[in-house]
Amino acid sequence: MSERARRPTVKEVAVRAGVSPMTVSRTLSGGLNVKPDVQQRVMEAVAELGYHRNENARSIRPGHSSGLIGVAITNIANPYYSTFALGVEEEAALTGRRILLGNTSEDAAREADLVGDFLGRRVDGLIVVPAGTTSAHLAHSQNQGVPVVLASRRIDGLAADSVVLADDDGAHRGTSSLLDRGHTRIGYLGNALSIFTGGRRYAGFVRALEERGLTVDPQLVATNQQTVDQAREATRTLLDAEHPPTAIFCANNRNAIGALKEISAQLGDGTRAPADFPEIVSFDDFELAELSPVPISVIDHDPRELGRTAARLLLDRLDGGERETPPRAIELPVSLRGVR
Amino acid sequence: MSERARRPTVKEVAVRAGVSPMTVSRTLSGGLNVKPDVQQRVMEAVAELGYHRNENARSIRPGHSSGLIGVAITNIANPYYSTFALGVEEEAALTGRRILLGNTSEDAAREADLVGDFLGRRVDGLIVVPAGTTSAHLAHSQNQGVPVVLASRRIDGLAADSVVLADDDGAHRGTSSLLDRGHTRIGYLGNALSIFTGGRRYAGFVRALEERGLTVDPQLVATNQQTVDQAREATRTLLDAEHPPTAIFCANNRNAIGALKEISAQLGDGTRAPADFPEIVSFDDFELAELSPVPISVIDHDPRELGRTAARLLLDRLDGGERETPPRAIELPVSLRGVR
DNA sequence: CTGTTAGCGCTTTCAA
DNA sequence: TTGAAAGCGCTAACAG
């Protein structure tokens, strides 16, 4: 590809500038105690050779860190998480740090692998949307002085900083708003109850019903949809039931979108009107919710801010005085918003 | 956070296992020429200490590489690019490599910074959705033996592998389909023509019109929308014109979504029917397109596959025999699909 | 089968 | 203001 397919080192820069490697190093770290004209020469050599300090070599020296933050996400392709990642990236970039990104596909074993790999790469810290409920790998990271921040989901028994949403409150308010509008048969579509958000949102849903003296009809509850297609399938089952719900609470955007797709498809045959279909409440806003053929409200929150907050918690531990403080558990508020 | 906030090294593992560092190293690299029982002891020490090889230290040794791929994307939060990133991540993970992710926000200077940083971290290669038309930083990367793959957009004058979409063909087919249905006043919403995809898609649009003896009406063309809100604004202008278009070609999902949002909002006042609004063709499929109040077709393609292809091109250079072959330019086909 | 030596690229410490 | 030495964690190459 080129005559010189090697990356220059301090030594080469030094030779070219006619100085010692130390002078190059000093110049590159601010130029303290280096004569201006020498600095000049060094910088020229750097430019001519296209030299970049080897950060990996630097990071193995005592005291130095890698400037890397490991981010383990369950599904990068979900706009919610990718926006989250953007928030992390932005905040990390402010401190000159970079993001090492890994996708866990909601698989705890993969997550553990990933964390091990991240530790091997000497990340300064970890931001994790945990896929499982085991925390050995994360506790291990902390034991080695690599702080962990949990985002969106917490893990019982792991003393780590965390940012989560007001899942219970949001689900409660969303469900209550449906009850206020007179609904009594309310369906529930969500991810597994064993997942932190799944369990909490379901709890809020149930609490709202029980406050009004209603009990949950198991026929109307489906809680294992991870993808839009699965959600759509579950919606079909709900709609085809003998007594279909008049409203559906969707615990996340995957499920809400699946529901809308199914409703829209069934409307397509022209035999029924939008009023024949349940109204929707979705935990998570999403693009084009306003095109819904049925009334929809969303429990809104800002994934980017979630990412920023997670990053700030971590950076506090790394750069701030928060080395040894007890874990902080932040719960970000959500807001209920009628979309149509 | 813990008593032992230090990361163990080979040496400590060696001491604990009662062997030399070399034996630890050998055991960890497959155990060739190490007695099984010694391996056993080493692995126990590794587990007890929670040891992870320092990849940064390994990577500075001659011949060894960092196992990192730098990915520079213009906007991670765009579902299109995050799905692209997923494709890259998946393919990279197959070779044990990780993704170093940076967001350029469509800013060429930031991209150059990012690339410099990536080189400093000794990435094995770079996958870039270029934000600008300058390529010095990328050529520089290649000169140092760090291959570059361009995705979605190419840069004139840079001899690098690339995967792009059949932009011209897709836009041509989409526009032609509108013409086939009798439209003659077709609006155009897109990103800047100076952006690779923007220019190519516009060219396909124009070509389709000209083939039918039509010329472009500048009043109906808006080409500087980067965000959904900007697209919505541009749509309003188009719809409010004296002779609004009867169809709109949207050059990407941001613009299509903005158009749908504006149309949906204007429908909300109840004074007009869907038939009063233009039909849409969108380059890029997107979630919930089928909820469109007006007929819509999409020019469909798979961003995940784009990511995978980009990664494969890069990995070929890294692991395969493709070190010195001339650049390969791949153009992925797209398909026109009526959504509603 | 195992250990010693040396050196990757860099920078802290010490000496000049 | 500059340089030489030493060592960060790791592992080829060479002994044994």
Side-chain angles (χ1 to χ4, degrees):
Chain A
M1 213 132 238
S2 148
E3 340 71 81
R4 242 198 1 67
R6 258 196 55 332
R7 278 112 136 186
T9 70
V10 245
K11 226 177 256 182
E12 297 169 52
V13 176
V15 169
R16 188 166 190 115
V19 296
S20 78
M22 260 322 293
T23 299
V24 175
S25 174
R26 274 194 267 259
T27 302
L28 257 24
S29 335
L32 192 66
N33 287 339
V34 182
K35 277 210 297 224
D37 59 308
V38 177
Q39 289 193 43
Q40 176 77 23
R41 256 189 301 141
V42 170
M43 293 316 281
E44 278 166 21
V46 165
E48 283 163 22
L49 293 174
Y51 171 75
H52 292 271
R53 282 197 290 206
N54 185 332
E55 290 299 330
N56 295 335
R58 297 187 77 203
S59 76
I60 69 171
R61 316 219 69 257
H64 263 280
S65 74
S66 69
L68 253 27
I69 292 179
V71 178
I73 285 184
T74 54
N75 179 8
I76 324 177
N78 182 333
Y80 179 74
Y81 287 117
S82 65
T83 307
F84 168 83
L86 176 65
V88 173
E89 200 267 354
E90 286 175 339
E91 202 69 27
L94 293 180
T95 69
R97 270 176 257 252
R98 297 285 165 223
I99 291 298
L100 216 45
L101 188 68
N103 204 61
T104 63
S105 304
E106 210 68 78
D107 175 344
R110 245 183 96 78
E111 177 185 306
D113 273 2
L114 214 50
V115 167
D117 185 283
F118 285 167
L119 290 177
R121 296 183 189 280
R122 291 306 184 265
V123 293
D124 296 351
L126 249 27
I127 293 181
V128 180
V129 178
T133 53
T134 55
S135 60
H137 56 303
L138 299 174
H140 174 221
S141 173
Q142 294 183 310
N143 286 338
Q144 308 214 340
V146 181
V148 172
V149 173
L150 301 177
S152 190
R153 309 171 181 175
R154 281 198 287 258
I155 299 181
D156 273 351
L158 182 71
D161 289 335
S162 60
V163 220
V164 301
L165 297 174
D167 296 298
D168 182 289
D169 175 59
H172 176 262
R173 278 159 61 199
T175 309
S176 296
S177 76
L178 290 173
L179 294 164
D180 288 344
R181 263 166 279 151
H183 293 283
T184 52
R185 291 188 60 71
I186 303 178
Y188 181 96
L189 294 175
N191 50 355
L193 300 184
S194 58
I195 293 176
F196 183 81
T197 50
R200 303 225 301 175
R201 292 173 192 180
Y202 184 68
F205 170 76
V206 172
R207 190 159 64 81
L209 291 186
E210 291 180 344
E211 278 177 6
R212 313 282 176 115
L214 295 171
T215 54
V216 175
D217 179 349
Q219 299 273 347
L220 300 184
V221 173
T223 59
N224 275 303
Q225 304 79 247
Q226 217 54 259
T227 66
V228 168
D229 282 342
Q230 289 166 351
R232 199 171 155 177
E233 198 62 45
T235 305
R236 179 160 33 239
T237 305
L238 234 49
L239 296 181
D240 289 353
E242 204 169 343
H243 298 295
T246 62
I248 300 180
F249 178 88
C250 303
N252 60 30
N253 70 50
R254 298 296 86 194
N255 278 281
I257 288 171
L260 288 187
K261 286 193 167 213
E262 181 58 25
I263 290 172
S264 159
Q266 296 203 8
L267 268 169
D269 68 18
T271 62
R272 279 162 301 172
D276 298 330
F277 289 90
E279 123 171 48
I280 302 284
V281 167
S282 162
F283 203 115
D284 293 346
D285 188 13
F286 51 90
E287 229 162 32
L288 296 183
E290 67 251 62
L291 296 191
S292 167
V294 296
I296 182 166
S297 310
V298 300
I299 295 151
D300 195 13
H301 48 96
D302 185 353
R304 189 167 174 177
E305 186 54 31
L306 189 74
R308 286 215 195 93
T309 306
R312 265 186 247 115
L313 282 174
L314 186 65
L315 295 168
D316 271 3
R317 296 252 174 227
L318 296 176
D319 303 332
E322 307 290 331
R323 265 270 158 213
E324 297 293 333
T325 4
R328 290 157 296 170
I330 295 184
E331 190 164 300
L332 295 181
V334 300
S335 62
L336 180 65
R337 187 160 57 76
V339 174
R340 59 139 313 235
Chain B
M1 212 128 241
S2 148
E3 339 73 79
R4 241 197 3 68
R6 258 194 57 327
R7 278 113 135 184
T9 68
V10 244
K11 228 178 254 181
E12 298 170 49
V13 176
V15 169
R16 188 165 191 118
V19 296
S20 79
M22 255 328 287
T23 300
V24 175
S25 175
R26 273 194 268 257
T27 302
L28 259 23
S29 330
L32 191 67
N33 286 340
V34 182
K35 275 210 299 225
D37 58 309
V38 177
Q39 288 194 43
Q40 175 77 24
R41 258 188 302 140
V42 169
M43 292 317 279
E44 277 166 21
V46 165
E48 282 162 22
L49 292 174
Y51 171 76
H52 292 270
R53 283 199 288 206
N54 186 331
E55 290 299 329
N56 294 336
R58 297 187 76 203
S59 77
I60 70 171
R61 317 215 67 259
H64 262 282
S65 75
S66 69
L68 254 27
I69 291 178
V71 179
I73 284 183
T74 54
N75 179 10
I76 322 176
N78 183 334
Y80 178 74
Y81 288 118
S82 64
T83 307
F84 168 81
L86 175 65
V88 174
E89 201 268 353
E90 286 174 339
E91 202 69 27
L94 293 180
T95 68
R97 271 175 257 250
R98 298 286 165 221
I99 289 298
L100 216 45
L101 188 68
N103 204 61
T104 62
S105 306
E106 209 70 77
D107 175 344
R110 247 182 94 77
E111 177 184 304
D113 272 4
L114 213 52
V115 167
D117 184 284
F118 285 166
L119 289 177
R121 296 184 188 282
R122 291 307 184 265
V123 293
D124 296 350
L126 249 29
I127 293 181
V128 180
V129 178
T133 52
T134 55
S135 60
H137 55 304
L138 298 174
H140 174 222
S141 173
Q142 295 183 309
N143 285 339
Q144 308 214 339
V146 182
V148 173
V149 173
L150 300 177
S152 190
R153 308 172 181 175
R154 281 198 288 257
I155 300 181
D156 272 351
L158 182 70
D161 289 336
S162 60
V163 219
V164 301
L165 298 174
D167 296 298
D168 182 288
D169 175 59
H172 177 263
R173 277 158 60 199
T175 308
S176 296
S177 76
L178 291 173
L179 294 164
D180 288 345
R181 266 166 277 150
H183 293 284
T184 52
R185 290 188 61 73
I186 303 177
Y188 182 95
L189 295 175
N191 51 356
L193 300 185
S194 59
I195 294 177
F196 184 80
T197 49
R200 300 226 303 176
R201 292 173 192 180
Y202 184 67
F205 170 78
V206 172
R207 190 160 62 84
L209 292 186
E210 290 180 344
E211 278 176 8
R212 312 283 176 114
L214 295 171
T215 54
V216 176
D217 178 349
Q219 300 274 344
L220 300 184
V221 173
T223 58
N224 275 301
Q225 303 81 245
Q226 218 53 261
T227 66
V228 169
D229 282 343
Q230 289 166 352
R232 198 172 155 176
E233 197 62 47
T235 306
R236 180 160 34 237
T237 306
L238 234 47
L239 296 181
D240 290 353
E242 204 169 343
H243 298 295
T246 61
I248 301 180
F249 178 87
C250 302
N252 61 28
N253 70 51
R254 299 296 84 192
N255 278 281
I257 289 170
L260 288 186
K261 285 194 167 213
E262 181 58 26
I263 289 172
S264 159
Q266 296 202 8
L267 268 169
D269 69 16
T271 61
R272 279 162 299 172
D276 298 330
F277 289 90
E279 122 171 50
I280 302 284
V281 167
S282 162
F283 203 115
D284 292 346
D285 189 12
F286 52 90
E287 230 163 31
L288 296 183
E290 66 252 62
L291 297 189
S292 166
V294 296
I296 181 166
S297 310
V298 300
I299 294 149
D300 196 13
H301 48 97
D302 185 354
R304 190 166 175 177
E305 186 53 33
L306 189 73
R308 287 215 194 93
T309 305
R312 264 184 248 118
L313 282 174
L314 187 64
L315 294 168
D316 270 3
R317 295 252 175 227
L318 298 175
D319 304 332
E322 305 290 330
R323 266 269 158 214
E324 298 292 333
T325 5
R328 290 157 297 170
I330 294 184
E331 191 163 301
L332 294 181
V334 300
S335 62
L336 180 63
R337 187 160 56 78
V339 174
R340 66 136 307 238

